Amino acid sequence: MRFKNGIILCIILVMISCKNIAHDDKNVAIEKPLLLRAEIPYIKGESKKIFDAKPSKDFDDNKWFTNDHCFVEDHDGKLHWFGINNPYPPKGKELYSYHPYLGHLTSDDATKNWKRLPFALDESRDTEYLGAPFVIWHEESKRWAMVLETRMDDIRRLEVSWSKDLIKWERTYKAILPDDLWISSRDPHIMKGPDGKYWIHIVSTGNEGVKQSQVLRIRTKDFETFDKPETILGINDNTFATLIESPSVLKHNGLWYLLFTYAHRRYTETIVVVSDTPDHFDYYNNAVTTLFGHAAKIFNYKGKSYISSCGPEDQHYSNHQSVSLAELGWLSQK
């Protein structure tokens, strides 16, 4: 019986592996090209607004917007949203530089019932700048870690803040790799990698002296010491500042996917690049699709996958400055 079961298992494994193998006219096995093996993510149905950007109708007389953000589920199953959430700058302040608030909302349903909480952080009476946040549970210290962009000594830097309950946050006021990250380094995405380290993905330029728009990975175990930045994607499109934004990395059915916004080409454009490895993504040859959305984040909640969009941080769009959400699907190529 064990022998027969072993034969059956071998047959199943061979059948699974053959799905990714084609044959030429001489019946020689050839692995399918990466783009044909990839599943293609797509937006299912309508992307709908889930809450208003403005804290309340009578909060002030300004129009408000959202921008880069993240979703995180707490240990009780509640979903939290953290993100850039500000009024358009008053007279004398500049767009993209006036970021005094970090918004915080919670819900028990990704698409509705969002409740606004006090701002996670408030710099309205000090530096007036809080940039894109990302929050992850740090298992080793039993705390929540938030990486975000802040202004220190009038320079924008990436910083870590800590929380035990996702409500009260303690800032470190210490820059991550202050000598290696530049003014355009921003928009963190964090995941725990298969190496056991936490991977912080950011956009930047000039890593290892190369003038590109880049996505970098910075590895850490404790969010106090950090490995040297590694370039996982580079686009030869500039000589000064990165033109891409809001990277996210995920693994799906054995392949890796990198999503990023090409905001300086089209604001609501999220490009998806596929790879066999999380260490290198080839934009020129392996872009699998383009999704509608700005600063998109993909997350799972209560058995469903979602993709978000936000903004814009510009008043040329008159009807939507908030966060929208849709279900995410994956199209299998046969």
Side-chain angles (χ1 to χ4, degrees), residues 209-220:
V210 182
K211 295 180 179 179
Q212 298 174 314
S213 288
Q214 298 171 330
V215 177
L216 308 183
R217 172 178 296 136
I218 304 169
R219 304 175 197 247
T220 183

Side-chain angles (χ1 to χ4, degrees), residues 315-327:
Q315 297 192 64
H316 69 279
Y317 286 77
S318 60
N319 296 319
H320 186 69
Q321 282 78 23
S322 189
V323 177
S324 60
L325 200 66
E327 278 195 58

Side-chain angles (χ1 to χ4, degrees), residues 6 44 89 106 115 117 162 210 217 224-225 227 235 273 297 317 323-324 333:
K44 296 173 65 174
T106 61
K115 177 184 177 182
L117 277 65
W162 294 97
V210 182
R217 172 178 296 136
E224 295 178 2
T225 57
D227 294 350
I235 301 178
V273 182
K297 290 293 178 287
Y317 286 77
V323 177
S324 60
Q333 303 182 78

